[in-house]
Amino acid sequence: MGIELAGLVACVTGGSRGLGAAIVRRLANEGANVLVADVLAEEGTALAHELTGSGKHATFHPLDVASVEDWIALTENIGAEFGRLDILVNNAGIIIRKRLSDQSVEEWKRAFDVNVMGVFLGTKYCRSLLRESRFASIVNVSSTAGMVAHLDPSYTATKWAVRGLTKSTSLELVHEGIRVNSIHPSIIATPLTAAAPAGHVEANRHAIPMGREAQPEEIANIVAFLASPQSSYMTGSEVVADGGMTTSGVAHMRDQFQKSFGKTPT
């Protein structure tokens, strides 16, 4: 079944690789004009060229999601070229895999700058462009870490914040015709996951009833649905795509801790 995105204008942050790139490809394949917004210029430009070379519509725009100046420049470019924005996917994020006692103040702030400030700024500065759309949709990429506790405290805190920000902004923006939803995947087969410490992925996989991590395309399919008019009665919703991970509650996190660090927390 096709998703109704032909001619719509979409912006995907962190769109150069991993889940972001899968989302960009999915939206472009459905006919959207996609802006690949990322700090990874070489990879983002290559992705845009790949898609335009196959008849799709994609352009790369440099963006540090924690930079007000970058957001202003990006939205000015979108306004000048299209006059509106239909879809904003706040996907950019980082993981600092350290326990609380090992994490610096600077690392904690950086996690919030990218994972939370980026969503706030994107919503704030794209709001006026989204108002010009008949089908405005914001999709915030959170995590199962925004549903239950993970072992990375800054990541867990930021993803709960994204969940809460989604709920709050959905109430504020609904009367402007802008829907805001969040998606909460478990581990995904991406370069970010591949860079995890030894044993991390295996422990997470063990906690997933399906027994495997998600493929980026599986999550991108859900994002495309949330971005499209086909999800027109959904706002403030949280869509969990985790292979059953959160059905086991806290127990799976204790198991993960034991497998990753060799003991169970008291």
Side-chain angles (χ1 to χ4, degrees):
M1 180 179 66
I3 301 292
E4 302 165 5
L5 300 181
L8 299 186
V9 181
C11 176
V12 181
T13 70
S16 290
R17 67 180 179 185
L19 175 59
I23 295 169
V24 167
R25 288 193 174 93
R26 184 70 170 86
L27 301 184
N29 287 339
E30 293 296 337
N33 296 287
V34 187
L35 294 93
V36 183
D38 207 318
V39 293
L40 301 174
E42 185 175 347
E43 293 173 70
T45 300
L47 176 59
H49 286 167
E50 170 200 321
L51 291 169
T52 55
S54 61
K56 308 300 190 300
H57 303 282
T59 54
F60 173 76
H61 290 261
L63 176 72
D64 175 352
V65 293
S67 167
V68 172
E69 292 76 15
D70 280 11
W71 273 111
I72 290 174
L74 175 61
T75 51
E76 286 178 349
N77 289 338
I78 296 172
E81 184 171 359
F82 298 104
R84 74 178 197 283
L85 181 65
D86 301 295
I87 300 162
L88 171 64
V89 182
N90 286 310
N91 166 73
I94 61 172
I95 303 176
I96 299 172
R97 293 186 173 92
K98 292 184 179 180
R99 288 181 283 184
L100 187 67
S101 56
D102 300 324
Q103 194 162 105
S104 70
V105 171
E106 291 72 22
E107 288 171 328
W108 183 270
K109 289 181 177 178
R110 180 60 180 162
F112 272 84
D113 279 347
V114 176
N115 296 357
V116 184
M117 183 67 76
V119 176
F120 164 72
L121 293 178
T123 304
K124 177 180 177 67
Y125 285 100
C126 290
R127 183 176 186 170
S128 60
L129 289 170
L130 288 161
R131 284 198 204 106
E132 301 302 316
S133 170
R134 294 174 55 215
F135 307 106
S137 175
I138 298 174
V139 182
N140 296 326
V141 178
S142 181
S143 167
T144 51
M147 306 297 294
V148 295
H150 281 211
L151 294 174
D152 318 294
S154 61
Y155 188 69
T156 296
T158 60
K159 291 306 183 178
W160 277 84
V162 169
R163 180 184 178 189
L165 184 58
T166 299
K167 296 286 192 185
S168 182
T169 53
S170 72
L171 293 176
E172 182 173 342
L173 302 184
V174 66
H175 300 297
E176 299 176 18
I178 303 170
R179 299 183 300 110
V180 191
N181 295 291
S182 60
I183 183 168
H184 300 258
S186 58
I187 57 171
I188 308 170
T190 66
L192 190 64
T193 298
H200 184 92
V201 175
E202 291 75 11
N204 275 278
R205 189 183 295 132
H206 179 77
I208 297 172
M210 282 190 175
R212 65 173 178 86
E213 58 265 55
Q215 294 301 309
E217 294 76 17
E218 292 178 298
I219 306 304
N221 289 340
I222 302 170
V223 172
F225 170 72
L226 291 174
S228 78
Q230 292 183 350
S231 59
S232 57
Y233 198 56
M234 295 177 67
T235 196
S237 300
E238 49 203 27
V239 178
V240 180
D242 67 351
M245 175 185 276
T246 56
T247 61
S248 58
V250 176
H252 84 273
M253 298 312 303
R254 293 177 62 84
D255 183 60
Q256 178 186 330
F257 189 99
Q258 187 173 30
K259 287 179 175 297
S260 298
F261 298 107
K263 62 179 181 179
T264 300
T266 57

